Amino acid sequence: MLWRDEDVIAIHKPAGWLVHRTGLDAGETRFVVQTLRDQLGGQHVYPVHRLDKGTCGVLLLALHAQAARHLSMAFASHDVHKRYLALVRGWAPSQVTVDHALRPDDAPPEAPAQSALTHFQGLAHLEVHASADPRFATTRASLVEARPLTGRRHQIRRHLKHLAHPILGDATHGKGPLNRWWAQHLGHQRLWLHAWSLDVPHPRTGARLHIESRLQAANTDGALTLIAPEDAPPDLHAWQSLLGRMDRVRVL
């Protein structure tokens, strides 16, 4: 648990968990809403935003209907600031803003695309002295911080694909052979996207509520380190060990 008061609760959502039941993934048995309700003694919880099944990190839920209404209005009016950490293919630019409209995945072809804006900041260029592609001697990746300014479905994933730097482990928008190579090298078959922090007006007081995951990034003397507490969930330990799997790390 990352935060709890009488109105809201924030937790770490594990990768591989759905926020709630859906017919789109009928075989899944792990759901945040149902599990959290049981852990809270049957108290109803209200999800107010989404994280993809493969994404881990900060997830905020309301503890009563009024709080849910206020938080949903904040998300709808873009009065929420979100930061994500992503591991992407290739060497991404140090800074870029993507203004690229997106059509909802389930919309008909004639439906208009919706405006979508994401700011990306490169944190480090990474390199492994082994080849995922026989045409090259090394394999490159980047750590990127993403700040979505709108809230379209799969926005970060689709915008990174638009930049030709898809998130590693993204089965929908990435390349299967490269994803499998990285999964073998890193020892994890997963989507490398982490909901790093969330800043939202509190539904009762209106004061800014800032919630961070327990994964910290430190830049000491030009060296980047990802740090997770010893009692952190496995997701965060996977991120912490990431840089140690690289032969070269160049901080941007």
Side-chain angles (χ1 to χ4, degrees), residues 14 113 140 198:
R140 295 176 171 180
L198 184 67

Side-chain angles (χ1 to χ4, degrees), residues 24-68:
L24 299 177
D25 197 341
E28 184 55 70
T29 59
R30 299 171 298 177
F31 310 100
V32 170
V33 168
Q34 285 75 19
T35 300
L36 187 58
R37 180 194 60 203
D38 293 343
Q39 291 176 346
L40 296 177
Q43 179 174 354
H44 196 77
V45 294
Y46 301 75
V48 294
H49 67 119
R50 296 188 302 264
L51 290 180
D52 294 342
K53 179 179 178 180
T55 304
C56 66
V58 178
L59 180 68
L60 183 68
L61 304 99
L63 292 177
H64 54 82
Q66 185 176 7

Side-chain angles (χ1 to χ4, degrees), residues 132 168-169 175-189:
L168 297 182
K175 299 292 185 181
L178 182 63
N179 286 340
R180 289 189 291 272
W181 187 92
W182 275 109
Q184 183 176 18
H185 181 75
L186 298 174
H188 298 279
Q189 178 69 50

